[in-house]
Amino acid sequence: MSLKERLFGPPWESKDPEARARSVATATDRRLFMQLPMIAAQDSDPKVRLAALKRLGDETAWLKAGRTDTSAEIRSSADPFLLRAVCKQSDPDHVEQRLAWLENLDAGDALRRIAASAADPEMRDAALARINSPGFLGDCVVSETDDEIATRLLNRIEQVSTLKRIATKLRKKHKTRHQAVVQRLATLESGSEVHEARDELATQLIAQAEKLARGEFSGDRKAEAERLTDLWQELADPEPHLARRFEGAMRIVRSALAPRPPRPVPEPAEADSPGADPELEKLGEKAQQMATQPASDKTAAALNQLISAFDRHWNTLQSPGPADQAVRERFQALIGELQARLEMSRESHSRPQARPAQGSGNRSGPDPERARELEQALDKADQALESGDIAASSEAIRAARSLYDRMPQPQRTREAAGRLARMAGKLKEMRDWQHWSNNKLRERLIERVGEIDAGNLHPDAVTERLKELRQRWKELDEQEVLPGDKRRFSAPQGQWRRFQRACKEAFDAARPYLEKRSEVREQSHQELQEFLDAAGRVVDDPETPTDKLIRYQRAAREAIRNLDTLPPKQRGKAASALRELMDSISAALDRHFEAIENDKRRLVAEARKLAHEKDRAVAIDRAKSLQAEWKKAGRGRRKIEDQLWNEFREPIDPLFEDLKQERDERKQAEHRHAEALKQICARAEALAEADDPQSVAGQIAGLEDEFNQHASVPPALRKRFEQALGRFQQQVRSARDARAHARLAHLIALDDRLQETWQQMLGGGDVPAQELPDISPDDAVGQRLRDRLEQMQGAPDVDAHRETVEKLTVQARQVVIEMECLAGLDSPEEDRKQRMDYQINRLSSRLGEGAPKADLNSEHAALLRRWLESYPHDPEQHPQLKKRFESADKILKQMTAG
């Protein structure tokens, strides 16, 4: 703290408001910053408070000032600051205070700015509540980040043009809010004949419902369906065709969301089990009726129609029961019997025609070879039937039938025909059982398709699973469709359609990802084509550097490894193109490497010539130049590069080894030189710590001369030595200061004896003879004081010394006045004139003689010497003069310190 501050206080506490305001606005004192809150709240002048508030920049202080300060200027100045703070950063701790300030804010532009840009949603909501402009509110609906505030604003807007305008802005920016705006428009249009908004909203809801029906939704489907249903019900009389589309899509959604009924498990037949299917019983009765009637030419056609009708109806049954199985077995037995009867009837009709006429004498007997061959074929068919192989059985029966049909009518036996009929019936039964079993497996495949969790599985896993299930369905068809059959598919049409629908639903869930992947693959293919084009241009350019070719080669290898990111159909062609590119790059690199290697062979030849250079410095410079050219030439193929490098180094290494040896010797010499300097520094540091600096001054001077004799000194060692010298000089100064302090204490003690002796003389007492102190011959002040004391002790007459003491007292007063003037202290009233005279004389001497301004230390030392020489003083004046001297001396010491 300066003397001026101690006398008048800091400038921000000045009595002048202007001075306080300037100090608060510009001062950098740390104490001011600590007192700014108190100044902003308590200072009596509005300008000072305003300056403190601006300097403080605290929102809490501005909020309080804007609400409670008596100055209108401060209240109006608070609004811009608070407006910036409210729009810049959210502050939940000050929301209530901000709202209280907002209630008193009348500016329209500021209110709109807060409504649009305030960081706290509470501030935006409160500001918007005070604004009634539909256009501005519509813009805030578009830009507002808080959905609740946007909803409340939307409910306040009743201007249709504004709603249409913000609906256009929100169409692609915020679909949910756009739908809310359209719904608001539909509500406002409900009482008019225009229903554009209602129709648009209905179209949006239909699009969402159809997307949900296609499975293109990743969230909670049930909740989404309920939401869409609720929004549709809020529409006022939508168009019939739109309503049909929406209901159709929602039926599909509800069907997909409805849990599938568990498949019934066949249970053992009981007494009260349900009977057989009526249609099956009816067809069985027809077979029974046909079995009781004689065979005719139309019986075979009717029998085939009956079998086809029975098979079609059987395939429509979801879960045939035991009664149905019994009807089927009875039906198959009757059919087998009818087929055997028809075969026998055909034989009986054909036998008379094949028999020769009576008496012809040309009878044909049985052919043993054909009969044996037919018997073997029938046995083979029996074995195939016994093994259960339907395909082999069908082939064996067809072969036996072919042999039987090629035999003449007289040689065909009823036994063979019966065996063929029974085997055909048994094969038919086996195929029916297989068809029934395969239908069960197909139902299980449909269930397994429905069990695919497309939401949690990777789309590739979904497609692979669908491929497996489709392949299994195909295998079931191949099992039933035998060679020679006209039909290609054996699955019932209804079952096939359900399987296809289930597969489509599972695939539709994975479709977006697959489409996106296809898009990414196409993009990757385009990027690869661009890379190939760019690489082709780079390879064709003969100026292309080697490192760039290598980068393209690495990029081509990386592209080869990442071919799976391309469309499958493009991978082969892309691989061929990349291999061609790599071959082209390799050829270009070979050309580049050949040029580099030839250039380096030339450098090797140049390096070998250095062995004949007599001047080693020239040889080393040439070697460095060759090394730079080698580096600039680039890198060739590794194997050849290493070989050439060894040949290049062979003549150059000896040169640099000699140079390295010289450098090592120079470093060793520098090390020895540094060690010697370190020893000098260590000795100087040790001498700097001596108790008597004067005794080692000569040694320090010698070390300084020895240190300066070294031509080159490392900066660190020079700094170390200079620090040691600095510590020694500090020791010398400390010793000198100690001697000066002792001398000063000695003089002060001598002054005290003079003052005490004079006071004793004035008191009329005897002045005791005391031994005079020893004074150094070179101490002029001490000699004068000693002589004065000796005179007073030798001649104790008061009158003889009174005049001298009065002069010395006047001299002491003059010293005190001069010291107070230098220290900036006020002098007593009785000394004002004497001080004024001193100041005028001091100024005139400077102005007239042009003398330079005296050094404060020198003036202080001279005044101290004059004060010590002024003893003794008048006892009545001495205490005050001494007190004034000590006060001024203390301030001057502080002013000259450091």
Side-chain angles (χ1 to χ4, degrees):
M1 180 183 294
S2 65
L3 176 63
K4 184 176 181 181
E5 286 190 8
R6 276 190 298 198
L7 293 176
F8 302 106
W12 58 85
E13 295 180 358
S14 173
K15 295 181 180 180
D16 184 6
E18 297 293 337
R20 290 204 310 275
R22 285 194 303 272
S23 175
V24 169
T26 59
T28 59
D29 196 306
R30 185 177 61 182
R31 295 170 296 168
L32 171 64
F33 292 108
M34 298 176 63
Q35 297 184 20
L36 280 176
M38 184 179 66
I39 296 174
Q42 300 179 4
D43 196 277
S44 58
D45 190 88
K47 293 183 179 179
V48 178
R49 294 200 303 272
L50 181 58
L53 286 169
K54 291 181 178 179
R55 193 75 182 276
L56 187 61
D58 181 64
E59 182 180 352
T60 304
W62 276 109
L63 284 169
K64 182 178 179 181
R67 189 174 62 254
T68 62
D69 201 283
T70 57
S71 173
E73 182 182 2
I74 292 179
R75 291 197 302 272
S76 61
S77 299
D79 291 341
F81 177 88
L82 294 176
L83 183 60
R84 290 192 300 271
V86 164
C87 297
K88 181 179 181 181
Q89 185 176 5
S90 175
D91 191 352
D93 297 335
H94 293 151
V95 168
E96 295 184 359
Q97 298 177 357
R98 288 180 173 183
L99 291 173
W101 164 74
L102 181 63
E103 291 179 358
N104 299 324
L105 186 65
D106 297 330
D109 294 339
L111 199 64
R112 291 198 173 200
R113 183 179 173 186
I114 294 173
S117 306
D120 294 310
E122 295 87 354
M123 295 292 294
R124 298 198 302 272
D125 195 15
L128 288 167
R130 296 173 54 184
I131 298 174
N132 295 320
S133 172
F136 179 78
L137 295 179
D139 294 337
C140 290
V141 170
V142 176
S143 60
E144 179 57 50
T145 58
D146 191 285
D147 291 336
E148 295 183 359
I149 296 177
T151 302
R152 287 196 290 271
L153 290 179
L154 183 59
N155 293 332
R156 291 173 54 192
I157 300 175
E158 296 183 354
Q159 190 170 344
V160 175
S161 60
T162 300
L163 292 172
K164 289 182 178 180
R165 177 173 60 85
I166 64 177
T168 303
K169 291 184 177 181
L170 290 170
R171 186 180 302 277
K172 295 182 179 180
K173 182 178 180 181
H174 200 307
K175 293 186 178 180
T176 304
R177 199 168 292 178
H178 171 262
Q179 186 172 346
V181 173
V182 174
Q183 190 169 0
R184 175 68 174 162
L185 271 171
T187 303
L188 295 177
E189 292 176 354
S190 59
S192 64
E193 297 180 357
V194 181
H195 300 294
E196 295 179 1
R198 184 200 65 186
D199 294 343
E200 182 180 355
L201 181 59
T203 304
Q204 293 179 5
L205 294 177
I206 290 170
Q208 296 177 24
E210 291 176 346
K211 183 178 179 181
L212 185 63
R214 291 194 300 269
E216 300 175 359
F217 186 79
S218 58
D220 189 348
R221 297 184 179 183
K222 185 176 180 181
E224 179 68 7
E226 294 176 354
R227 185 184 71 85
L228 293 176
T229 303
D230 294 340
L231 292 176
W232 185 266
Q233 291 177 355
E234 294 178 1
L235 293 178
D237 297 330
E239 294 294 332
H241 68 282
L242 298 177
R244 285 194 298 271
R245 284 183 59 189
F246 183 80
E247 288 300 328
M250 293 307 296
R251 277 198 302 272
I252 297 174
V253 173
R254 287 191 289 269
S255 176
L257 294 176
R260 296 186 178 181
R263 296 185 61 82
V265 179
E267 298 180 357
E270 298 180 359
D272 56 350
S273 60
D277 185 79
E279 185 64 24
L280 288 180
E281 290 183 346
K282 183 178 179 181
L283 294 173
E285 291 175 358
K286 288 183 178 182
Q288 179 67 36
Q289 186 178 1
M290 290 179 66
T292 58
Q293 296 176 358
S296 63
D297 295 338
K298 297 181 179 180
T299 303
L303 182 60
N304 291 334
Q305 292 179 0
L306 182 62
I307 293 173
S308 299
F310 190 90
D311 289 342
R312 284 197 301 272
H313 187 70
W314 179 265
N315 291 331
T316 60
L317 299 179
Q318 294 292 334
S319 55
D324 298 329
Q325 295 288 349
V327 172
R328 186 184 185 200
E329 292 175 3
R330 181 168 171 270
F331 179 82
Q332 290 175 346
L334 292 171
I335 294 300
E337 181 181 352
L338 286 170
Q339 288 175 344
R341 288 171 57 188
L342 287 173
E343 186 66 28
M344 292 173 62
S345 175
R346 283 195 298 268
E347 291 179 0
S348 62
H349 285 297
S350 61
R351 190 176 294 115
Q353 298 175 4
R355 185 178 301 164
Q358 289 285 344
S360 64
N362 196 16
R363 295 179 180 269
S364 299
D367 187 352
E369 185 65 27
R370 287 188 176 183
R372 186 168 55 254
E373 189 177 353
L374 178 60
E375 187 68 21
Q376 292 176 356
L378 291 173
D379 292 340
K380 185 177 180 181
D382 281 333
Q383 293 175 4
L385 287 171
E386 291 295 333
S387 66
D389 190 345
I390 295 178
S393 300
S394 176
E395 184 65 27
I397 292 174
R398 185 180 293 107
R401 173 71 68 181
S402 178
L403 287 173
Y404 180 81
D405 291 341
R406 288 199 305 269
M407 292 177 66
Q409 285 289 348
Q411 295 181 8
R412 297 178 184 178
T413 63
R414 182 178 298 179
E415 181 183 359
R419 289 183 66 183
L420 283 172
R422 287 191 296 274
M423 284 189 292
K426 189 173 183 180
L427 177 62
K428 178 67 169 60
E429 182 180 2
M430 289 173 62
R431 293 188 67 179
D432 291 341
W433 276 105
Q434 184 187 45
H435 183 67
W436 177 82
S437 176
N438 287 348
N439 284 345
K440 297 290 186 183
L441 295 176
R442 292 186 182 96
E443 287 295 333
R444 179 56 185 155
L445 290 179
I446 295 173
E447 292 179 359
R448 291 169 68 180
V449 172
E451 292 171 358
I452 296 177
D453 188 1
N456 295 324
L457 287 177
H458 192 277
D460 285 340
V462 174
T463 55
E464 288 298 324
R465 185 62 175 152
L466 289 176
K467 288 179 182 179
E468 293 175 4
L469 297 175
R470 284 184 175 276
Q471 181 62 29
R472 180 56 180 154
W473 188 282
K474 182 179 179 181
E475 291 173 357
L476 293 177
D477 279 347
E478 291 175 352
Q479 290 177 3
E480 295 190 48
V481 179
L482 300 177
D485 287 353
K486 294 182 179 180
R487 60 178 181 172
R488 296 181 57 191
F489 306 102
S490 58
Q493 290 298 321
Q495 200 176 38
W496 168 248
R497 285 193 295 270
R498 287 192 290 114
F499 179 73
Q500 285 285 82
R501 184 166 56 250
C503 291
K504 184 178 182 302
E505 291 176 358
F507 182 76
D508 286 345
R511 186 191 300 275
Y513 168 81
L514 298 175
E515 292 176 351
K516 182 62 178 178
R517 185 174 64 181
S518 299
E519 180 182 346
V520 172
R521 285 178 172 176
E522 287 295 336
Q523 184 178 359
S524 300
H525 182 251
Q526 293 178 3
E527 293 175 356
L528 178 61
Q529 291 298 327
E530 294 174 359
F531 168 75
L532 290 172
D533 296 339
R537 292 191 296 271
V538 169
V539 173
D540 294 338
D541 186 2
E543 301 298 328
T544 303
T546 306
D547 55 348
K548 190 172 183 180
L549 288 173
I550 293 175
R551 288 200 302 271
Y552 271 90
Q553 187 181 48
R554 292 173 180 170
R557 290 173 182 168
E558 185 68 20
I560 286 279
R561 289 191 288 268
N562 295 327
L563 285 175
D564 56 343
T565 61
L566 302 179
K569 295 181 180 180
Q570 303 293 338
R571 293 173 186 173
K573 186 176 179 181
S576 300
L578 287 171
R579 282 193 291 269
E580 292 177 2
L581 173 64
M582 293 176 67
D583 292 340
S584 302
I585 293 176
S586 298
L589 285 175
D590 289 340
R591 293 192 298 270
H592 279 261
F593 288 150
E594 187 67 28
I596 292 171
E597 291 159 3
N598 290 334
D599 194 12
K600 290 191 174 181
R601 289 188 181 95
R602 179 185 60 80
L603 295 176
V604 170
E606 293 289 334
R608 287 173 179 166
K609 296 178 182 179
L610 296 177
H612 306 290
E613 179 63 48
K614 296 180 180 180
D615 190 345
R616 194 184 64 176
V618 174
I620 290 176
D621 291 340
R622 180 56 180 161
K624 291 180 179 178
S625 175
L626 292 176
Q627 286 180 334
E629 291 183 30
W630 182 282
K631 185 176 181 180
K632 186 177 179 180
R635 291 188 59 84
R637 286 164 287 202
R638 178 175 298 178
K639 186 175 181 179
I640 301 177
E641 176 79 14
D642 294 342
Q643 180 183 354
L644 292 174
W645 173 246
N646 293 330
E647 295 176 4
F648 180 73
R649 288 182 54 187
E650 184 177 356
I652 290 179
D653 284 351
L655 296 175
F656 287 101
E657 288 177 0
D658 295 341
L659 182 62
K660 182 177 180 298
Q661 184 176 0
E662 290 183 0
R663 289 177 179 174
D664 292 342
E665 292 176 356
R666 187 165 59 252
K667 286 183 179 179
Q668 291 178 1
E670 292 175 355
H671 179 70
R672 292 191 296 271
H673 178 66
E675 288 296 326
L677 291 175
K678 289 180 182 178
Q679 291 180 3
I680 295 175
C681 291
R683 290 163 57 191
E685 289 169 350
L687 292 175
E689 302 298 331
D691 296 334
D692 186 5
Q694 294 295 335
S695 63
V696 296
Q699 299 180 38
I700 288 290
L703 289 177
E704 188 173 3
D705 293 339
E706 184 180 355
F707 189 87
N708 292 329
Q709 288 177 1
H710 293 273
S712 60
V713 179
L717 292 177
R718 180 174 296 279
K719 181 179 180 180
R720 179 180 173 185
F721 186 76
E722 290 175 354
Q723 288 177 349
L725 289 181
R727 288 196 295 272
F728 173 75
Q729 292 170 1
Q730 180 63 33
Q731 290 279 36
V732 172
R733 287 194 296 270
S734 298
R736 184 173 63 249
D737 291 344
R739 290 193 300 271
H741 183 73
R743 176 173 171 272
L744 179 62
H746 186 68
L747 293 176
I748 291 174
L750 191 57
D751 284 341
D752 291 341
R753 286 185 60 183
L754 278 170
Q755 187 67 31
E756 183 181 357
T757 301
W758 174 245
Q759 289 179 358
Q760 289 176 353
M761 292 173 64
L762 290 177
D766 296 332
V767 178
Q770 297 181 3
E771 184 179 357
L772 296 176
D774 294 333
I775 302 298
S776 175
D778 57 350
D779 188 358
V781 177
Q783 288 290 343
R784 284 194 292 271
L785 293 176
R786 184 178 182 279
D787 294 342
R788 194 175 298 165
L789 179 61
E790 185 178 3
Q791 292 175 4
M792 293 178 72
Q793 289 182 354
D797 185 6
V798 175
D799 295 334
H801 301 285
R802 186 181 300 278
E803 184 178 357
T804 301
V805 171
E806 290 178 354
K807 290 180 180 180
L808 291 173
T809 302
V810 172
Q811 180 182 345
R813 182 179 297 278
Q814 181 64 33
V815 170
V816 170
I817 290 172
E818 292 179 13
M819 289 190 70
E820 288 175 342
C821 183
L822 287 178
L825 296 176
D826 293 335
S827 301
E829 186 66 28
E830 60 270 16
D831 294 336
R832 289 288 179 89
K833 184 178 182 306
Q834 188 175 352
R835 177 171 176 168
M836 184 65 69
D837 293 341
Y838 165 73
Q839 290 177 340
I840 292 173
N841 293 333
R842 179 184 175 91
L843 181 61
S844 62
S845 64
R846 287 186 182 178
L847 295 177
E849 299 174 5
K853 183 179 180 181
D855 181 33
L856 183 62
N857 288 320
S858 301
E859 287 189 292
H860 183 210
L863 290 171
L864 179 61
R865 185 178 64 255
R866 288 169 57 194
W867 171 261
L868 294 174
E869 291 178 350
S870 67
Y871 275 77
H873 306 146
D874 184 1
E876 295 181 356
Q877 300 182 31
H878 174 71
Q880 184 182 9
L881 291 175
K882 185 177 181 181
K883 183 177 180 181
R884 289 169 60 188
F885 173 81
E886 290 176 350
S887 299
D889 182 64
K890 183 178 179 181
I891 293 175
L892 289 175
K893 285 179 179 179
Q894 293 177 353
M895 294 172 64
T896 58

